[in-house]
Amino acid sequence: KFLTVMDVSYRKYPELLLQAYFEEFRHDPDVLLIFKGYTGGADESSVTYVKDLIKQYKEKAQSKAEVLFLSGFLSDHLFAPLHRSAHVFVNTSRGEGWSLPVLQSMACGVPCIMPKHSSHLDFGYDTIYTKTKFTKQNCLWVDVKEVEITDRKFLTDDSRFIGHSWWEPQLDSLKKQMRWAYEHQSELKTIGQQAHQDVQEFSWKHTARKIVGQCAKFAHGHEVIV
């Protein structure tokens, strides 16, 4: 079971995820993509748009793979069970400021397939051995290519991005990681356990302590540990 949670927008790149999933698992009957998506709202037009998008890519790939589409919004207490219901979370965005759904999945012990760019680099790790440090793998990276943002509609809607670049996740790399996750579910559990451990520093409690400490540092000239 693959899971994604996203605002179905140009930046989040849902088309790439749907193409990769339907093409890679065209003939696999025992896979499911849980697609929690919306388009900035939860009205009927939003639901219809996402349904049509999913149908379009399934028909194009002539795929038998299934999608469970969850529309609308969920209460906070339902998000942890949603994340834990999946074997792996998938993110296909072209750029992230923070990527909260990824962190939420990692906090639940669910490993993530995600593009190797922007905020993901702050909490995603490869297995690295050095003389002074040993870092264990906590995610599955998707290769990216830096490109200039040129989509006219996107730039018209948000002119702040004019002259900027972002990262295009690569289709073949995404397919490869999704296939690896499908075939190595026991290894996924180990990666998920490491992810859970690594993101504890981003918990609300830990973050609040750091903020209070920094505020006290500037207010009194020294940092306070709380």
Side-chain angles (χ1 to χ4, degrees):
K1 286 177 287 186
F2 297 93
L3 170 67
T4 194
V5 178
M6 70 164 74
D7 179 0
V8 182
S9 63
Y10 184 74
R11 178 172 63 86
K12 296 294 185 177
Y13 211 175
E15 298 87 355
L16 182 74
L17 172 57
L18 293 173
Q19 180 182 356
Y21 173 71
F22 283 128
E23 290 182 358
E24 184 63 29
F25 301 101
R26 183 181 287 112
H27 302 300
D28 293 289
D30 56 345
V31 296
L32 178 68
L33 171 62
I34 305 171
F35 194 106
K36 178 71 185 75
Y38 55 93
T39 59
D43 55 26
E44 189 61 33
S45 62
S46 172
V47 173
T48 300
Y49 175 82
V50 179
K51 282 184 176 179
D52 288 346
L53 187 67
I54 294 171
K55 182 179 179 180
Q56 172 189 341
Y57 278 87
K58 181 171 183 173
E59 291 179 346
K60 184 176 181 180
Q62 296 182 331
S63 180
K64 296 181 180 179
E66 297 294 331
V67 172
L68 173 61
F69 170 47
L70 303 177
S71 61
F73 302 105
L74 291 180
S75 300
D76 288 345
H77 72 280
L78 295 176
F79 268 99
L82 173 63
H83 283 283
R84 294 191 184 108
S85 71
H87 294 93
V88 62
F89 187 93
V90 189
N91 176 287
T92 53
S93 73
R94 292 175 163 105
E96 290 288 346
W98 186 229
S99 204
L100 183 60
V102 165
L103 274 169
Q104 289 173 328
S105 253
M106 294 176 77
C108 289
V110 179
C112 295
I113 298 172
M114 57 190 184
K116 196 171 186 179
H117 63 53
S118 55
S119 64
H120 295 155
L121 301 176
D122 291 330
F123 44 79
Y125 305 111
D126 298 301
T127 299
I128 300 173
Y129 300 87
T130 67
K131 292 182 179 180
T132 59
K133 187 178 181 182
F134 170 50
T135 303
K136 294 183 180 179
Q137 179 184 9
N138 68 4
C139 67
L140 297 174
W141 288 123
V142 175
D143 294 335
V144 297
K145 180 180 180 181
E146 185 175 358
V147 298
E148 183 182 356
I149 303 173
T150 58
D151 185 84
R152 292 184 178 181
K153 184 179 186 306
F154 179 79
L155 293 175
T156 300
D157 293 339
D158 197 335
S159 60
R160 294 175 300 172
F161 288 89
I162 294 176
H164 289 270
S165 298
W166 54 19
W167 301 268
E168 292 279 348
Q170 300 300 290
L171 177 64
D172 289 344
S173 179
L174 175 59
K175 286 183 175 182
K176 178 181 177 180
Q177 295 294 39
M178 293 179 77
R179 174 58 62 178
W180 188 93
Y182 173 80
E183 296 178 348
H184 298 82
Q185 294 180 35
S186 59
E187 290 94 328
L188 273 184
K189 293 181 180 179
T190 301
I191 296 173
Q193 291 167 358
Q194 186 64 45
H196 170 76
Q197 176 181 324
D198 290 342
V199 301
Q200 295 309 304
E201 65 174 300
F202 299 105
S203 69
W204 291 112
K205 184 176 182 180
H206 185 81
T207 302
R209 284 179 173 176
K210 292 177 68 175
I211 292 173
V212 171
Q214 288 298 311
C215 289
K217 177 181 178 180
F218 287 107
H220 305 293
H222 62 277
E223 189 168 357
V224 177
I225 305 299
V226 297

